[in-house]
Amino acid sequence: MSAVFWIVIGVIVLAACSGGGKKTAARKDPYRIDRPHVIDPDDYECSVCHRRFRKNQMTCPYCGARFGKQVTDEEEFIFEEDELEAWDEEDEI
């Protein structure tokens, strides 16, 4: 009975130490997320550490990940554009 207990504890410790492999998968193929804006300058986000930066570069200034590709996320751009249109409509009334 105590041998089974120690085996179970050992498996739990190994699983906790390995981290489930999620971190290594994120570092395997890092990419840069381009986030355009309507008025403000565009900014970029690292897919590994998820921090944002302003400089157009293919290496994260925070974690050092080298980006193999770029992906554009226009969600904020569309939101800002809709907000500007709503303000223009209010001014016309």
Side-chain angles (χ1 to χ4, degrees):
M1 173 93 170
S2 68
V4 173
F5 173 76
W6 288 111
I7 290 173
V8 170
I9 295 295
V11 169
I12 292 172
V13 169
L14 285 174
C17 290
S18 69
K22 291 183 180 179
K23 291 182 181 178
T24 57
R27 289 206 175 262
K28 188 180 276 187
D29 189 26
Y31 56 92
R32 184 181 78 190
I33 304 166
D34 297 352
R35 299 194 181 273
H37 295 282
V38 176
I39 296 175
D40 295 331
D42 297 347
D43 65 331
Y44 310 94
E45 181 179 339
C46 175
S47 67
V48 177
C49 67
H50 300 287
R51 294 190 62 186
R52 292 189 178 199
F53 49 95
R54 293 274 183 194
K55 195 172 182 183
N56 183 0
Q57 57 192 26
M58 292 304 285
T59 303
C60 178
Y62 300 104
C63 70
R66 292 181 177 245
F67 307 125
K69 64 180 180 176
Q70 303 168 198
V71 176
T72 302
D73 182 0
E74 295 183 347
E75 184 177 331
E76 293 175 11
F77 180 86
I78 294 169
F79 177 75
E80 292 168 359
E81 195 172 45
D82 290 344
E83 287 287 316
L84 286 176
E85 286 180 18
W87 290 350
D88 288 342
E89 289 174 4
E90 287 180 8
D91 290 342
E92 291 175 2
I93 295 177

